[in-house]
Amino acid sequence: MNDCIFCLISKGEVNSKKLFSNDFCFVIEDIAPKAPLHLLIIPHKHILRLSDFEDVAIILGSMFDAAVNYAKNIGIADDGYRLVINQGENSGQEVPHLHLHLLSGRKLLGMG
Ligand code: 5GP
Ligand code: ZN
């Protein structure tokens, strides 16, 4: 998908500093942070709906693995963090390319 912002960032066609990248996904700072630390873990592959894929456990496993390792490496594992995926219209998802939010840096309010 050519005009997808996360695909463009993945390909380096839109500039956004990649804090981490492997064959499967990359990590960037959210442009409009909702917490002192707000990162996005994004697969390079354009994935619109999780339900479109049979290997959903592999997809999510790779993303959570990257998030957990990254959080450990930057030293926030003990303080804690929140991982969130918005999926589809009712969730308020804005960017139609699968991504995992990592929020931290303050006490987060309950889910509302
Ligand atoms: P969603 O609501 O789809 O789960 O979250 C999309 C997130 O992507 C939002 O938190 C939004 O601030 C972030 N975002 C949208 N466009 C860009 C962009 O061009 N660069 C970065 N770094 N984040 C973006
Ligand atoms: Zn995309």
Side-chain angles (χ1 to χ4, degrees):
M1 202 189 237
N2 291 335
D3 61 351
C4 169
I5 185 65
F6 290 169
C7 284
L8 293 173
I9 292 172
S10 165
K11 289 184 276 188
E13 290 172 16
V14 165
N15 206 26
S16 183
K17 188 180 169 200
K18 294 191 180 86
L19 303 172
F20 168 85
S21 185
N22 64 17
D23 286 348
F24 184 77
C25 62
F26 60 98
V27 178
I28 59 172
E29 288 180 342
D30 196 291
I31 204 169
K34 317 300 187 290
L37 181 68
H38 186 171
L39 305 177
L40 300 172
I41 296 93
I42 307 172
H44 294 289
K45 186 174 175 178
H46 183 81
I47 295 171
L48 177 57
R49 274 181 299 269
L50 282 167
S51 51
D52 290 345
F53 290 83
E54 285 175 13
D55 51 356
V56 65
I58 294 171
I59 293 165
L60 290 180
S62 303
M63 292 167 67
F64 276 83
D65 196 45
V68 168
N69 283 322
Y70 191 77
K72 194 174 164 190
N73 288 341
I74 63 171
I76 61 167
D78 288 343
D79 285 344
Y81 51 89
R82 179 175 290 165
L83 298 173
V84 178
I85 292 177
N86 292 318
Q87 182 75 157
E89 199 180 333
N90 278 357
S91 74
Q93 183 179 7
E94 290 170 20
V95 179
H97 175 137
L98 178 66
H99 52 281
L100 176 62
H101 295 259
L102 186 156
L103 299 141
S104 189
R106 66 167 164 81
K107 242 186 209 331
L108 299 164
L109 299 175
M111 306 287 285

